[in-house]
Amino acid sequence: MTSRTDIDVRPITEAEFPDWNRALNTGFLQPPAVGAEQLEARRKQFGPGRLLGAFDGDRCVATFRSFDQQVTAVGGALVQADAVSSVTVTATHRRRGLLTRMMAQDLAAAKERGDVVATLIAAEYPIYGRYGFGPATTMTEWTVDVPRAGLDARRAAPEDGGRIDLVDGEDVRKLGPELHERLRRAQPGAVSRTELWWQIRTGVVNANGSPWTEPYYAVYRSADGEVEGMAAYRSDDHWGDAKQPLNTATVDWLLAVTPDAERALWHYLCSIDWITTVKSGWRAPDDLLPHLLPDPRAARITTQADWLWVRILDVVRALEARTYEGQGSLVLEVADRGGLAGGRWRLEAGADGASCAPTTESAHLVLDVGELAALWLGDESAVRLAALGRVREERAGAARVADALLRTSRRPWCPDMF
């Protein structure tokens, strides 16, 4: 067995890109061979210095990729993030500290660049808390039993004077980025999308190697013609024994910047002939969907799990970037085994903004940097974390003060996988 010190962890070169992708596919239990088209599509994501590999001799045995991203803080500020993706360790080289080495190298570089946070979507829950990440948003998927929903299919058109149109991928590439920009500036937890994101989702670039099948694209326009919502969805072709249509519409993604747009798109999806089931895709846990139906019980939760994980790299800038529900002060003692963001900080928050600075005052609340990340977007409760033993009150009532300041009226949501 090769020793840990004999395995080289480093940014990959252009020439090593095919081997890195073979290791990536192997780690995710995909066919190891990477076709020329898929390789060329993935090459568009190649960022010098941001793709790390662990090499046992000339063979890549672990992969790691990061890229520039913005995540929306509470209040709408766009915070610079180090987005982590493509993390694998080949089964023959597990438990040798390869991920720890790659993560430490990447986070140190992110801190040096001035990134405020790091982000990722965790395939497995127990891994990333070791590196200071905390689950900051939750994802929920609903399955709608359309016949039970209580909607009248004869009245499927929007009732507000708007309209639904079916469009193609070219229209989506023209209209989608501006719509998403409006959404993400109002949605804590949303992340930026590149031009490449839209190209992959409309078939211009094939990054996964599978044959491209275009979904249906529906656009909602308000009464004055403004695009306020858009959805991509697919349908299967399933019929019962008595020639009964039992088709399912599966939503790839749905964006809406107004409640009217959201209502119109869901009602449209539930009114399509032959569709008896609608799968919502990844939604916020307090999404309006169930209560846009006359019978909310027609929408049952089929998936609910942690989604966007955040790692705080700069406590001061992270806490000063967001807005707060109330007014008050809090002294936080933050532990960080990674040595990137630990310390004691005094937060002064109010309607006009917040200030955060190092302090020698006694701590009110003691927590790990991962728990601070879980609180940062307003979804988690400090009182709940205290009950779990993951936050410690040094001043009675400090957890309630933290909740009054940090929690939000609507829950954060990240619409994207990356």
Side-chain angles (χ1 to χ4, degrees):
M1 180 182 292
T2 309
S3 70
R4 296 186 182 195
T5 56
D6 288 337
I7 297 176
D8 188 21
V9 172
R10 64 176 188 269
I12 69 167
T13 65
E14 181 78 21
E16 292 167 334
F17 190 63
D19 189 32
W20 186 91
N21 274 275
R22 184 178 180 87
L24 176 66
N25 277 20
T26 300
F28 282 121
L29 301 182
Q30 301 298 315
V34 184
E37 181 186 16
Q38 185 181 13
L39 194 63
E40 186 58 31
R42 289 183 178 179
R43 204 177 294 275
K44 297 178 184 294
Q45 300 174 327
F46 186 97
R50 303 293 292 271
L51 276 71
L52 303 180
F55 289 85
D56 187 351
D58 60 358
R59 180 183 169 220
C60 185
V61 295
T63 64
F64 189 107
R65 179 171 76 95
S66 69
F67 56 94
D68 289 335
Q69 185 187 75
Q70 290 178 328
V71 59
T72 305
V74 177
L78 304 181
V79 172
Q80 193 61 36
D82 174 55
V84 174
S85 185
S86 303
V87 176
T88 73
V89 176
T90 304
T92 55
H93 286 69
R94 297 168 65 237
R95 303 295 184 265
R96 301 197 204 178
L98 299 183
L99 173 55
T100 297
R101 291 169 63 187
M102 292 188 295
M103 183 68 78
Q105 188 169 324
D106 181 77
L107 293 180
K111 178 79 171 180
E112 181 68 23
R113 282 194 306 270
D115 292 341
V116 179
V117 299
T119 59
L120 56 80
I121 307 292
E124 297 181 56
Y125 192 98
I127 296 174
Y128 293 100
R130 293 178 291 168
Y131 308 114
F133 287 84
T137 77
T138 299
M139 172 275 293
T140 303
E141 183 175 28
W142 281 272
T143 297
V144 180
D145 182 351
V146 172
R148 183 181 174 181
L151 295 168
D152 187 345
R154 297 169 299 175
R155 297 179 173 84
E159 299 177 356
D160 59 358
R163 59 179 290 166
I164 300 282
D165 295 306
L166 292 179
V167 300
D168 60 19
E170 183 177 358
D171 293 316
V172 170
R173 291 190 295 275
K174 290 177 181 177
L175 302 173
E178 182 180 352
L179 178 68
H180 176 261
E181 191 67 15
R182 291 178 61 192
L183 172 74
R184 77 165 179 131
R185 288 181 178 274
Q187 177 60 62
V191 298
S192 50
R193 291 180 179 176
T194 63
E195 181 182 356
L196 181 60
W197 189 98
W198 295 98
Q199 292 174 342
I200 292 173
R201 270 63 178 190
T202 55
V204 175
V205 173
N206 186 350
N208 62 17
S210 302
W212 169 252
T213 302
E214 183 171 274
Y216 303 100
Y217 301 110
V219 170
Y220 167 82
R221 291 181 170 88
S222 64
D224 60 6
E226 185 173 6
V227 173
E228 294 184 345
M230 184 181 296
Y233 65 96
R234 303 173 187 273
S235 173
D236 62 6
D237 185 19
H238 179 52
W239 291 70
D241 294 336
K243 293 190 68 176
Q244 298 168 316
L246 299 172
N247 297 324
T248 297
T250 300
V251 176
D252 287 350
W253 49 266
L254 185 150
L255 305 176
V257 296
T258 65
D260 284 343
E262 201 165 348
R263 178 181 291 103
L265 285 169
W266 288 121
H267 283 194
Y268 162 75
L269 288 163
C270 291
S271 73
I272 300 171
D273 287 344
W274 301 353
I275 295 296
T276 58
T277 303
V278 171
K279 292 185 176 292
S280 71
W282 308 317
R283 307 300 302 168
D286 60 348
D287 198 84
L288 299 180
L289 170 59
H291 296 281
L292 295 174
L293 307 174
D295 185 351
R297 293 185 183 180
R300 59 186 175 88
I301 293 175
T302 46
T303 307
Q304 183 158 294
D306 56 281
W307 196 241
L308 182 73
W309 287 57
V310 170
R311 206 277 188 212
I312 303 291
L313 297 172
D314 188 322
V315 172
V316 171
R317 291 167 63 203
L319 292 178
E320 290 185 345
R322 57 158 291 169
T323 58
Y324 294 83
E325 295 289 294
Q327 184 166 342
S329 62
L330 200 61
V331 178
L332 302 170
E333 184 168 322
V334 180
D336 185 354
R337 286 174 291 175
L340 298 171
R344 191 175 297 171
W345 318 91
R346 183 176 184 84
L347 172 66
E348 295 279 355
D352 297 329
S355 64
C356 182
T359 183
T360 58
E361 297 177 61
S362 298
H364 300 165
L365 209 60
V366 178
L367 70 170
D368 185 81
V369 68
E371 313 307 340
L372 180 61
L375 295 169
W376 179 60
L377 287 175
D379 198 38
E380 187 54 272
S381 161
V383 171
R384 184 170 178 268
L385 292 179
L388 291 167
R390 291 160 54 185
V391 163
R392 187 174 79 249
E393 285 188 321
E394 294 293 304
R395 174 180 288 188
R400 291 187 179 278
V401 172
D403 280 356
L405 291 175
L406 294 165
R407 299 206 79 183
T408 55
S409 54
R410 290 293 302 272
R411 299 181 70 177
W413 174 48
C414 177
D416 290 90
M417 164 77 82
F418 57 88

